[in-house]
């Protein structure tokens, strides 16, 4: 029997304004960004404030111990990227993991890559043409929320309870911070992080660079080494932000942008470029879902064969996106009524996406992550930082795709999306969700841009996920139980391994989007599956 769920204003109606707009998966972070816009900050400054706030209020998904990627679209037509991801430790080699079949997902040996998020904030602010507000102003709310506390969200409480058995006994301060009462925190409980507040206050007063060079960096590196991580102070000092050209592809009516490797941005662009070549005349139809799912498979085959640290890649991703003949051949492999046998190895991980557009039209699409929920589970006692486990995705092999080497970047699922339409609209969009990120981007963009669905409905409508869901390694095609019942049967008959899940599940990500029209009108939408909101003026 099909389940149903009530609809409310947030689920159905697109928010509109003219002066500025912020969307993020936590309402406090969205409001923080809007306040920065009202204080005269631009979209970049507002996005930094949102990023810092999310590092406090969504610690199970992101933090200053993780990585980040940014797309910035300027009003003059320029589009820039920031790759604020960390490399593996100089001591991270195969000998460190001797007698292990794979890198552990939790604990000190999982904390084997530098955290780049804070360097991304600094690089973004360097790109801001105005820089009206100080770091202390931009980090103000994050510091206050860490010091005085926030009400724990339902998702945060559920994840903390589910992950407690594998995290509470790890070395470090996880239990003393996240289970202060001797148990996982519950929904609505006041959650304070005084050590993290002190770290953020130091970043605000001493400068963001002190995370990598200075007394704060020395303290963080010392705690990591004491807990058994291979990272050292030298790895902090050697960290640099990369600023590669964004990947882009032309489709009907728009040019799409995403981030270059080591992210899966190529997969996101390939999905929509291939779907642009497939006949589908209405949303939520078999042709729509089957086409996007099969385009996803083709894109993932390329991604899983080639995408990783760009210094080690043989494929030129932009050359592939520019090659219409190659894209035509890929699209021709998609059978209109038959599913390609699957699975492939799934990629895990969860994250936070957020977007901002200011009054001048400057647009930010940004994403931060500690990879798994609570990352490595290593929480540093003196700084309160949750360190990521992004390097657990490395393969323990000599050479080849995503193989562990010192000072190498691991593959990233992080993919912030952005589009420039031929009619002058600009769209920032994205989601958290590991394997689901490029799939949800395909769903949202195709609904809005190809089929004309209102923005909020494009996000609220039921979604699907091929591959990993939260907490398992299933590779079935999961669909929310709100589609037409006949669609499930049609997909099964085509050979898809269909699995129905809840009607509004976080398995499908926490998406958001903002569109700016040529006359300055802003339209924004936030995912009812998240704790977020659109904040606008």
């Amino acid at each position: 029997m099909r389940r149903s769920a009530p609809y409310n204003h947030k689920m159905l109606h697109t928010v509109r304004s003219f002066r500025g707009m912020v969307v993020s998966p936590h309402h406090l972070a969205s409001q923080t960004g809007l306040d920065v816009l009202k204080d005269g900050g631009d979209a970049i400054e507002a996005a930094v404030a949102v990023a810092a706030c999310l590092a406090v209020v969504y610690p199970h998904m992101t933090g200053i111990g993780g990585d980040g990627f940014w797309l910035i679209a300027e009003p003059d037509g320029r589009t820039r990227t920031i790759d604020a991801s960390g490399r593996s430790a100089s001591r991270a080699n195969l000998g460190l993991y001797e007698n292990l079949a794979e890198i552990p997902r939790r604990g000190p040996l999982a904390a084997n890559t530098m955290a780049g998020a804070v360097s991304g904030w600094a690089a973004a602010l360097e790109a801001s043409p105005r820089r009206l507000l100080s770091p202390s102003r931009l980090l103000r709310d994050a510091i206050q929320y860490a010091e005085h506390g926030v009400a724990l969200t339902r998702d945060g409480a559920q994840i903390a309870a589910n992950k407690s058995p594998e995290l509470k006994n790890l070395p470090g301060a996880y239990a003393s911070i996240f289970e202060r009462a001797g148990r996982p925190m519950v929904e609505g409980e006041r959650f304070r992080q005084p050590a993290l507040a002190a770290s953020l206050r130091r970043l605000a007063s001493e400068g963001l660079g002190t995370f990598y060079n200075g007394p704060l960096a020395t303290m963080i590196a010392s705690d990591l080494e004491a807990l058994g991580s291979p990272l050292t102070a030298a790895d902090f000092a050697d960290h640099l932000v990369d600023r590669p050209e964004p990947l882009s592809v032309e489709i009907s009516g728009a040019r799409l942008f995403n981030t270059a490797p080591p992210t899966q941005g190529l997969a996101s662009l390939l999905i929509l470029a291939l779907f642009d070549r497939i006949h589908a005349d209405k949303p939520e139809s078999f042709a729509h879902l089957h086409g996007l799912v099969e385009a996803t498979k083709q894109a993932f085959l390329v991604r899983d064969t080639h995408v990783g640290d760009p210094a080690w890649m043989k494929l030129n991703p932009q050359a592939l996106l520019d090659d219409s003949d190659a894209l035509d051949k890929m699209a021709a492999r998609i059978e209109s009524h038959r599913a390609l046998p699957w699975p492939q190895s799934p990629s895990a991980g969860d994250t936070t996406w957020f977007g901002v557009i200011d009054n001048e039209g400057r647009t930010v699409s940004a994403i931060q992550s500690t990879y798994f929920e609570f990352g490595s589970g290593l929480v540093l006692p003196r700084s309160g930082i949750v360190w990521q486990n992004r390097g657990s995705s490395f393969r323990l092999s000599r050479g080849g795709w995503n193989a562990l080497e010192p000072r190498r970047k691991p593959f990233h699922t992080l993919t912030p999306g952005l589009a420039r339409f031929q009619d002058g609209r600009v769209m920032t969009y994205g989601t958290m969700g590991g394997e689901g990120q490029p799939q949800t981007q395909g769903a949202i963009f195709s609904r809005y841009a190809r089929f004309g669905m209102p923005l909020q409905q494009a996000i609220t409508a039921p979604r699907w996920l091929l591959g990993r869901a939260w907490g398992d390694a299933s590779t079935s095609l999961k669909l929310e139980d709100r589609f037409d019942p006949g669609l499930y049967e049609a997909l099964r008959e085509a050979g898809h391994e269909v699995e129905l899940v809840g009607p509004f599940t976080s398995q499908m990500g926490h998406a958001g989007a903002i569109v700016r029209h040529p006359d300055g009108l802003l339209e924004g939408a936030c995912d009812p599956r998240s704790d977020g909101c659109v904040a606008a003026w």
Side-chain angles (χ1 to χ4, degrees):
M1 178 180 295
R2 247 181 114 208
R3 296 185 290 270
S4 61
Y7 285 82
N8 59 31
H9 178 88
K10 176 183 175 184
M11 292 180 180
L12 289 178
H13 297 284
T14 300
V15 176
R16 293 179 174 87
S17 71
F18 281 99
R19 297 196 63 182
M21 188 172 285
V22 182
V23 62
S24 84
H26 196 288
H27 59 95
L28 294 178
S30 297
Q31 293 165 16
T32 287
L34 180 63
D35 287 344
V36 168
L37 293 179
K38 288 183 174 181
D39 283 352
D42 66 10
I44 295 172
E45 292 172 302
V48 169
V50 171
C53 191
L54 286 171
V56 173
V57 302
Y58 247 38
H60 51 295
M61 293 292 182
T62 187
I64 62 175
D67 287 339
F69 292 87
W70 293 62
L71 278 172
I72 301 171
E74 296 289 352
D76 62 9
R78 290 176 298 152
T79 304
R80 295 176 284 177
T81 62
I82 296 170
D83 173 350
S85 62
R87 298 181 181 275
S88 56
S90 56
R91 300 193 306 191
N93 53 42
L94 295 181
L96 185 66
Y97 300 94
E98 191 174 6
N99 300 321
L100 292 175
E102 60 182 21
I103 297 174
R105 294 181 176 181
R106 304 290 193 185
L109 292 181
N112 61 4
T113 59
M114 178 51 53
V118 173
S119 68
W121 305 353
L125 291 175
E126 289 174 6
S128 170
R130 291 188 295 178
R131 291 292 301 277
L132 293 178
L133 303 180
S134 66
S136 60
R137 169 62 190 89
L138 299 181
L139 271 58
R140 182 192 69 188
D141 287 7
I143 293 168
Q144 290 297 311
Y145 290 138
E147 188 167 39
H148 298 288
V150 296
L152 194 68
T153 64
R154 181 183 63 179
D155 280 350
Q158 289 176 343
I159 291 171
N162 292 339
K163 301 301 177 183
S164 176
E166 62 186 272
L167 297 176
K168 64 182 179 181
N169 294 321
L170 290 174
Y174 180 86
S176 63
I177 294 176
F178 293 98
E179 299 190 8
R180 192 170 290 117
R183 53 152 177 80
M185 296 185 66
V186 298
E187 181 182 359
E189 191 170 356
R190 186 187 293 266
F191 175 48
R192 295 185 176 93
Q193 301 172 83
L196 182 60
S199 297
L200 291 168
R201 189 173 284 109
R202 293 185 69 171
L203 291 173
S205 62
E206 299 171 15
L208 299 178
T210 193
F211 190 94
Y212 302 97
N213 292 278
L216 180 59
T218 300
M219 182 182 75
I220 296 171
S222 176
D223 277 358
L224 281 165
E225 287 194 78
L227 292 172
S229 166
L231 289 162
T232 67
D235 294 312
F236 280 73
D238 290 343
H239 174 75
L240 294 173
V241 165
D242 291 321
R243 298 175 176 84
E245 288 296 313
L247 297 181
S248 68
V249 68
E250 193 81 24
I251 65 168
S252 300
R255 176 164 285 275
L256 309 179
F257 297 85
N258 218 295
T259 46
T263 79
Q264 62 174 341
L266 174 61
S268 181
L269 296 178
L270 282 175
I271 290 169
L272 285 166
L274 298 180
F275 184 66
D276 194 49
R277 291 161 162 78
I278 295 172
H279 175 75
D281 56 5
K282 60 181 180 179
E284 318 309 278
S285 63
F286 172 84
H288 180 201
L289 269 71
H290 174 78
L292 279 172
V293 170
E294 293 305 298
T296 296
K297 293 176 182 178
Q298 294 296 326
F300 281 6
L301 289 172
V302 173
R303 179 200 69 180
D304 295 345
T305 302
H306 297 288
V307 176
D309 187 331
W312 296 70
M313 286 177 57
K314 296 179 180 179
L315 175 75
N316 182 329
Q318 187 58 58
L320 174 60
L321 292 168
D322 291 338
D323 190 339
S324 295
D325 290 340
L327 298 179
D328 289 344
K329 290 176 182 177
M330 289 180 66
R333 298 181 196 132
I334 297 173
E335 296 188 50
S336 61
H337 289 86
R338 179 56 52 187
L340 179 72
W342 207 247
Q344 297 289 318
S345 299
S347 298
D350 289 298
T351 177
T352 54
W353 174 89
F354 47 99
V356 185
I357 301 182
D358 62 27
N359 188 46
E360 295 179 349
R362 187 166 294 104
T363 302
V364 173
S365 181
I367 198 160
Q368 290 186 165
S369 176
T370 51
Y371 198 31
F372 281 31
E373 302 93 337
F374 295 105
S376 66
L378 212 63
V379 183
L380 309 188
R382 290 185 287 175
S383 62
I385 297 172
V386 180
W387 208 263
Q388 66 181 354
N389 65 333
R390 181 64 60 175
S392 65
S393 69
F394 280 123
R395 293 166 52 248
L396 293 179
S397 65
R398 296 190 181 278
W401 179 84
N402 209 38
L404 177 67
E405 298 276 355
R407 307 288 300 146
R408 184 172 182 177
K409 289 195 174 188
F411 168 75
H412 277 266
T413 53
L414 307 182
T415 51
L418 194 143
R420 292 184 182 273
F421 291 85
Q422 292 175 1
D423 62 11
R425 287 174 293 164
V426 177
M427 179 178 183
T428 173
Y429 61 105
T431 183
M432 68 85 159
E435 286 275 288
Q437 287 185 46
Q439 300 181 62
T440 292
Q441 288 185 8
I444 293 169
F445 187 86
S446 64
R447 284 167 169 162
Y448 172 78
R450 180 159 172 172
F451 299 119
M453 189 178 289
L455 194 61
Q456 182 60 61
Q457 291 184 35
I459 289 177
T460 299
R463 294 207 290 266
W464 61 90
L465 170 65
L466 175 69
R468 176 191 178 272
W470 252 351
D472 63 36
S474 168
T475 54
S476 62
L477 175 60
K478 299 162 189 67
L479 294 99
E480 287 186 317
D481 196 0
R482 292 186 287 128
F483 287 102
D484 186 295
L487 177 62
Y488 305 123
E489 187 57 34
L491 290 168
R492 288 190 180 101
E493 289 178 355
H496 295 281
E497 184 187 347
V498 173
E499 177 185 347
L500 269 61
V501 297
F504 284 98
T505 172
S506 288
Q507 291 177 0
M508 300 299 161
H510 295 165
I514 307 174
V515 175
R516 187 179 193 269
H517 294 259
D519 64 354
L521 174 67
L522 297 168
E523 294 186 304
C526 186
D527 205 322
R529 303 163 183 84
S530 78
D531 301 297
C533 72
V534 177
W537 71 319

